[in-house]
Amino acid sequence: VLALDLGGTKAAAGVVDGGGRVLSFLVEPTRAEEGPERGLARLFDLGRRAVHEAGHEVAAVGIAAGGPLDPERGILLAPLHLPGWRDVPVTAQAEAAFGLPAVLENDATAAAAGEFRYGAGRGRKSLVYLTLSTGVGGGVVVDGKLLRSRGNGGELGHVTVDWRGRECRGCGRLGCLEAYASGTSIAERAREAGLNAATAADVAAHAADGDPVAVAVWDETVEALACGLVSLVNVFEPDVVVLGGGVSRTGEQLLGPVRERVRLAAMGNAGDAEIVQSALGDHVGVVGAAAVVQDD
Ligand SMILES: [Zn+2]
């Protein structure tokens, strides 16, 4: 499968074989502001180079992008991270460009499929995937079946953790998980508290050094993430929860206390869900896009 991962700042292309191995992997800036016509031409060109580099024929094209999108009709509706890209028939254009069948899926849903098939969820029956990145997204597999939405469902980042809480940049409501646990909001909360921190990684580093302001911001992040996860494991009772995205790279500093809180607060067996880091790392986008094609 030729897998294309269309992000707001970066686009990736890779060839992924039937065992989930990445045979080639190329990344370049999306330049979303240049609009869909030039943007897709560049994405498809990146795809052709990935196929050339892999030295392997491909049978289909899988495309992952941020929502809202319509996976059934293969249309980007109005992706939040691609301003001005409205009603773009990306699947039809990819089919025309490559002469192959193409499938479109929400990037976080695709990542869940990738982790389930080839990553941290391999051999399990059910999984919840959360990406903690610029925003927070996620996907769910129940009894081996990926939950696919018609465009706007499965928005795990917009689970409410405080209904009178912070305004969510993604959807405008109050108190979404994303308003606390995205990289953007972790850094934002730290700056509001007077900390000189540009990124969530800075906040984590200051907290590890014992800076009391950073520790307080980090504790709130842990509390919010655990609160959201308790709701999710209570609903889906997954075997495993996989955390991906930049914020998850803080590793045990985040996972350790979150695991403890979820285990104590979840209902009965739901608290037994293992909570682990993404196994696919930077490749999760392309492996996910490929997994969706292979599942289709
Ligand atoms: Zn929201």
Side-chain angles (χ1 to χ4, degrees):
V1 174
L2 168 61
L4 304 173
D5 180 16
L6 182 58
T9 53
K10 280 184 291 183
V15 171
V16 181
D17 75 7
R21 280 175 295 268
V22 178
L23 306 181
S24 63
F25 184 67
L26 300 171
V27 182
E28 77 172 24
T30 304
R31 299 199 200 105
E33 70 285 356
E34 290 181 8
E37 205 172 308
R38 294 183 66 182
L40 285 185
R42 253 201 326 273
L43 178 70
F44 296 159
D45 185 53
L46 191 69
R48 284 185 201 99
R49 279 186 277 145
V51 172
H52 181 75
E53 193 168 296
H56 211 287
E57 292 281 298
V58 293
V61 182
I63 307 162
L69 52 77
D70 181 339
E72 223 161 278
R73 294 191 300 145
I75 296 175
L76 300 173
L77 298 174
L80 297 171
H81 64 311
L82 300 169
W85 292 45
R86 286 194 84 85
D87 303 320
V88 181
V90 62
T91 298
Q93 294 197 19
E95 287 178 344
F98 294 97
L100 296 169
V103 174
L104 173 69
E105 187 49 270
N106 176 284
D107 49 9
T109 306
E115 287 289 348
F116 181 71
R117 219 177 151 99
Y118 301 118
R122 190 138 73 170
R124 306 305 183 88
K125 287 182 83 171
S126 56
L127 160 151
V128 166
Y129 174 82
L130 267 193
T131 175
L132 311 171
S133 184
T134 315
V136 175
V140 180
V141 175
V142 175
D143 276 336
K145 195 176 178 323
L146 178 68
L147 300 186
R148 300 184 72 177
S149 83
R150 283 163 302 175
N152 284 311
E155 289 287 0
L156 304 190
H158 303 282
V159 161
T160 304
V161 295
D162 181 352
W163 81 90
R164 289 174 181 147
R166 294 174 68 80
E167 189 177 326
C168 174
R169 290 277 180 82
C171 75
R173 287 172 62 244
L174 298 184
C176 293
L177 175 58
E178 175 169 305
Y180 297 86
S182 72
T184 320
S185 46
I186 294 170
E188 197 176 81
R189 285 187 294 110
R191 285 192 297 272
E192 285 169 15
L195 200 71
N196 182 16
T199 65
D202 296 336
V203 181
H206 288 304
D209 287 344
D211 179 308
V213 178
V215 167
V217 172
W218 197 253
D219 286 350
E220 187 180 58
T221 306
V222 164
E223 219 177 323
L225 178 58
C227 176
L229 279 180
V230 166
S231 294
L232 293 172
V233 302
N234 281 345
V235 172
F236 296 110
E237 204 184 0
D239 297 326
V240 60
V241 172
V242 182
L243 301 181
V247 176
S248 73
R249 296 207 178 98
T250 53
E252 285 306 304
Q253 190 181 358
L254 183 72
L255 267 68
V258 164
R259 218 176 259 137
E260 191 60 22
R261 278 178 173 270
V262 172
R263 195 178 55 79
L264 291 172
M267 296 175 77
N269 291 344
D272 296 344
E274 243 186 275
I275 301 179
V276 300
Q277 225 172 329
S278 157
L280 299 174
D282 290 339
H283 287 162
V284 71
V286 293
V287 175
V292 169
V293 172
Q294 290 155 348
D295 278 350
D296 210 44

